[in-house]
């Protein structure tokens, strides 16, 4: 075809018209044949078929997705979420990926090429994006179409106290407070039963990169999540002069993925020796695992996500880790530096790095500069660490420069399987490195960052020490001390249970926020008032694990990893707040091993950290510490955070690994007294026991 085209270009007006006609007809025939071959086997999906700008115009946007301007009236933004079962590569996908255009059909979720059951919102994986301006009112009506399961939606990163400062919790002083929209069954609402509709309504605050996800057990890993982006006017955006473009299609949501449902993974692992390891990665619901190669296309995979840029511009990318397992992700882009400007919706002083680690629930905003870059396609790499490192799990997206020419197909760029070794240990500076303390210029911890807005803290009103460990006791949810206790079972069946301050969190059936009068107060406990006769059985203690925070007080909180029994870095998320990261340190003496025996000195205790703090050996950074809502804790170490208790309500703090949160690795904070809490909406749903 190329040679024929060249011959045609050499023709001049003196060329025999018959020959010219014959060549032209042959070219036309060959073009038709090539188009047919591509459409029937390996046509590139979506953005490769046309100019990316034209494709962008065809994307339907919500009326609230707009340019944010100061002084403009905020909008009320309505969304309808229908939660239902679906499947990857189901009948909506037709011949995907043998016909790549089929992979972009409505309701087709190709995932990584393996068919499995999923839970979707509006039949999309990930679910629909929410993109609004700060101060808008978001209204989400959730219809549960699951036939035999409850659900709920948590809006990860939002304060739920409106746009105003939460100077008081009651409705008279803060009418915008809506803590009942936080989405936690047993804490802020009743679970949404099959066939029911629940309405969430809240003010979009703070600005930044957030996300929503199910807060019902084992549903986030089945695909029930999506992005939530809150933008702000340029004159309020402290970093606006650092980039040229902030596009809706430049949001990347990553998730470690398995080929079974969450239930089919959780039950065999907790009742037998089933795996808890991921098998692949999805980026915006797309991955490449199964090779569909046929004939001359031996490297035919489902399409990966791709984003488009132009030379000479600076782009803001928003990265969300929707992961569920022990799988921190190392992110990098070939031949591009990352200038990190924000984390968890909070602006930081810009820092340029070569790679970035994201733990479950974390979000980072980065800027890439396309000046002086060759106009081609670059790999956006996501390398799985810890548990994902065991199986060399990694994911790919494409950064594609639009140079005005036809963009080559994905199978010509990604030829066959990718190599895990090129996705991790990226040379240069890394931010948020695993199990690191402060002060390393090449492995920069979150505690080394500084807020973009100057602030000087004062000494806290009090300090809370919160430790966790995986206990070798018989959790009655999975053992029976009479016949198969933890000590009796064999092999990998002796599964440990994570606890905070030696307590496993359980949830009441009636929400604490709306039905506190229906909750058995004897089942509340914490480390200061634990009653072994009421809250413990055979050494295993569980209760409604709750701490009271006085309204307006400043709390320093140590989250302490005692190091037992594995080398693990847990990410913790606090609902309803930004906290400040004051310090981070790893005290373990053997930081280099993974999944090995915990040698002497690699375990610590809560009391060791208390003693170290009281002796003045833990310095706190009071100079503009970074704000976060999700942060990792080094193994055999601690992360120290500052909480300003200015948002009345019941707020959950928990490990953001899905299974750990489900089996009790969390704690509830009640901020303020009952009189500080906002007045509940009339006819708010109630629930409870039937006996």
């Amino acid at each position: 075809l190329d040679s024929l085209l060249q011959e045609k270009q050499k023709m001049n007006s003196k060329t025999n018209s018959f020959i010219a006609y014959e060549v032209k007809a042959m070219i036309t025939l060959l073009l038709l044949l090539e188009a047919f071959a591509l459409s029937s086997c390996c046509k590139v999906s979506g953005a490769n078929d046309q100019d990316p700008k034209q494709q962008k115009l065809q994307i339907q946007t919500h009326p609230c997705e707009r340019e944010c301007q100061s002084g403009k009236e905020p909008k009320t933004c309505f969304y309808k979420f229908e939660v239902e079962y679906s499947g990857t590569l189901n009948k909506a996908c037709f011949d995907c990926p043998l016909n790549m255009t089929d992979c972009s059909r409505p309701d087709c979720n190709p995932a990584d090429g393996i068919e499995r059951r999923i839970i979707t919102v509006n039949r999309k994986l990930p679910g629909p994006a929410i993109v609004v301006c700060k101060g808008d009112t978001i209204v989400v009506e959730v219809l549960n179409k699951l036939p035999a399961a409850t659900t709920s939606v948590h809006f990860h990163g939002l304060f739920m106290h409106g746009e105003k400062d939460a100077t008081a919790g009651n409705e008279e002083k803060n009418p915008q407070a809506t803590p009942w929209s936080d989405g936690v069954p047993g804490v802020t609402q009743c679970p949404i039963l099959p066939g029911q509709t629940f309405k969430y309504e809240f003010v979009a605050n703070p600005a930044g990169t957030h996300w929503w996800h199910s807060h019902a057990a084992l549903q986030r890993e089945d695909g029930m999540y999506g992005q939530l982006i809150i933008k702000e006017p340029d004159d309020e955006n402290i970093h606006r002069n650092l980039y040229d473009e902030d596009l809706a299609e430049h949001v990347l949501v990553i998730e470690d993925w398995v080929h079974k449902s969450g239930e089919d993974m959780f039950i065999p692992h907790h009742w037998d020796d089933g795996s808890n390891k991921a098998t692949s990665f999805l980026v915006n619901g797309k991955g490449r695992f199964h090779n569909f190669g046929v004939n001359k296309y031996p490297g035919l995979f489902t399409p990966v996500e791709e984003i488009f840029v132009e030379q000479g511009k600076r782009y803001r990318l928003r990265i969300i880790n929707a992961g569920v397992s022990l799988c921190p992700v190392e992110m990098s882009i070939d031949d591009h530096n990352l200038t990190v400007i924000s984390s968890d919706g909070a602006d930081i002083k810009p820092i340029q790095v070569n790679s970035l680690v994201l733990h479950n629930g974390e979000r980072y905003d980065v800027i890439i500069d396309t000046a002086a870059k060759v106009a081609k396609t670059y790999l956006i790499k996501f390398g799985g660490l810890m548990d994902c490192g065991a199986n060399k799990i990694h994911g790919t997206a494409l950064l594609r420069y639009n140079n005005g020419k036809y963009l080559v197909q994905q199978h010509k760029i990604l030829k066959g399987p990718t190599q895990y070794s090129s996705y991790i240990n990226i040379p240069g500076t890394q931010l948020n490195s695993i199990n690191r303390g402060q002060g390393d210029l090449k492995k920069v911890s979150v505690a080394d960052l500084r807020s973009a807005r100057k602030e000087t803290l004062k000494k806290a009103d009090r300090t809370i020490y919160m430790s966790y460990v995986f206990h070798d006791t018989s959790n009655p949810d999975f053992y029976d001390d009479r016949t198969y206790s933890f000590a009796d079972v064999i092999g990998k069946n002796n599964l440990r249970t994570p606890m905070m301050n030696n307590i496993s969190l359980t949830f009441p059936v009636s929400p604490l926020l709306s039905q506190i009068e229906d909750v058995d107060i004897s089942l509340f406990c914490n480390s200061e008032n634990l009653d072994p006769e009421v809250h413990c059985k055979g050494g295993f203690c569980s209760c409604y694990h709750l701490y009271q925070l006085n309204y307006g007080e400043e709390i320093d909180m140590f989250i302490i990893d005692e190091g037992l029994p594995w080398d693990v870095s847990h990410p913790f998320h606090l609902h309803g707040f930004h906290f400040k990261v004051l310090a981070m340190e790893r005290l373990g003496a053997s930081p280099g091993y993974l999944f090995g025996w915990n040698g002497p000195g690699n375990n610590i205790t809560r009391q060791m950290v208390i003693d170290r703090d009281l002796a003045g050996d833990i310095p706190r950074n009071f100079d503009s510490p970074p704000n976060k809502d999700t942060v990792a804790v080094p193994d055999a170490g601690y992360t120290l955070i500052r909480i300003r208790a200015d948002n009345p309500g019941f707020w959950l703090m928990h490990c953001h690994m899905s299974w750990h949160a489900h089996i009790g690795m969390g704690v509830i904070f009640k901020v303020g007294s009952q009189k500080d809490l906002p007045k509940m909406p009339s006819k708010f749903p109630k629930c409870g026991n039937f006996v």
Side-chain angles (χ1 to χ4, degrees), residues 161-177:
H161 66 41
E163 197 174 7
K164 299 179 180 179
D165 291 333
T167 54
N170 58 60
E171 184 175 356
E172 183 177 309
K173 294 187 179 180
N174 188 7
Q176 294 181 325

Side-chain angles (χ1 to χ4, degrees), residues 264-369:
D264 288 339
M265 291 290 291
F266 177 85
I267 295 171
H269 182 70
H270 286 79
W271 279 98
D272 206 335
D273 59 356
S275 173
N276 63 346
K277 307 291 189 295
T279 45
S280 73
F281 262 117
L282 299 185
V283 182
N284 289 351
K286 302 174 184 176
R288 57 193 316 265
F289 180 86
H290 181 62
N291 189 343
F292 292 82
V294 292
N295 300 328
K296 63 177 180 178
Y297 296 102
L300 181 59
F301 294 83
T302 45
V304 300
E305 182 65 312
E306 47 192 14
I307 60 176
F308 292 87
V309 296
E310 296 178 355
Q311 286 177 303
K313 289 187 176 182
R314 301 163 301 170
Y315 291 86
R316 180 174 185 163
L317 308 183
R318 300 171 183 264
I319 320 298
I320 301 167
N321 187 349
V324 297
S325 68
L326 175 57
C327 186
V329 182
E330 181 176 355
M331 181 244 181
S332 63
I333 304 178
D334 283 350
D335 298 329
H336 290 72
N337 292 325
L338 309 175
T339 301
V340 186
I341 61 170
S342 179
S343 180
D344 298 352
D347 295 320
I348 60 173
K349 288 186 176 181
I351 176 173
Q352 189 175 98
V353 299
N354 302 98
S355 65
L356 165 69
V357 174
L358 297 95
H359 294 263
N360 298 356
E362 287 191 302
R363 295 89 66 208
Y364 281 92
D365 294 26
V366 305
I367 296 170
I368 60 168
D369 192 343

Side-chain angles (χ1 to χ4, degrees), residues 436-510:
R436 295 281 180 164
Q438 299 161 241
D440 190 328
L441 297 179
K442 288 295 184 180
K443 303 290 185 181
V444 182
S445 83
V446 168
D448 290 315
L449 300 175
R450 294 295 178 267
S451 171
R453 291 170 172 81
K454 182 69 176 178
E455 181 180 12
T456 302
L457 303 187
K458 297 180 180 179
K459 185 178 178 181
D461 296 309
R462 63 177 170 130
T463 301
I464 296 175
Y465 300 91
M466 193 74 62
S467 68
Y468 60 86
V469 70
F470 280 69
H471 282 260
D472 54 356
T473 55
S474 295
N475 182 339
D477 288 338
F478 306 109
Y479 299 94
D480 188 324
D481 264 340
R482 297 168 299 180
T483 53
Y484 51 97
S485 68
F486 180 91
D488 294 332
V489 296
I490 60 175
K492 295 181 179 180
N493 286 298
N494 54 353
L495 189 73
R496 295 170 180 262
T497 299
M499 297 183 181
M500 301 191 68
N501 282 358
N502 300 316
I503 298 169
S504 180
L505 171 65
T506 58
F507 294 95
V509 295
S510 298

Side-chain angles (χ1 to χ4, degrees), residues 3-13 15:
S3 61
L4 286 171
L5 287 170
Q6 292 174 7
E7 289 298 324
K8 183 176 183 296
Q9 293 170 354
K10 293 178 180 178
M11 291 181 182
N12 53 39
S13 59
T15 303

Side-chain angles (χ1 to χ4, degrees), residues 15 70 88 122 127 165 185 192 195 230 254 264 346 424 533 536 560 586 590 626 655:
T15 303
S70 296
T88 57
N122 300 352
D165 291 333
I192 308 171
I230 301 176
I254 57 179
D264 288 339
I424 62 168
E533 296 296 323
C536 305
I560 304 164
R586 184 174 193 181
S590 306
C655 175

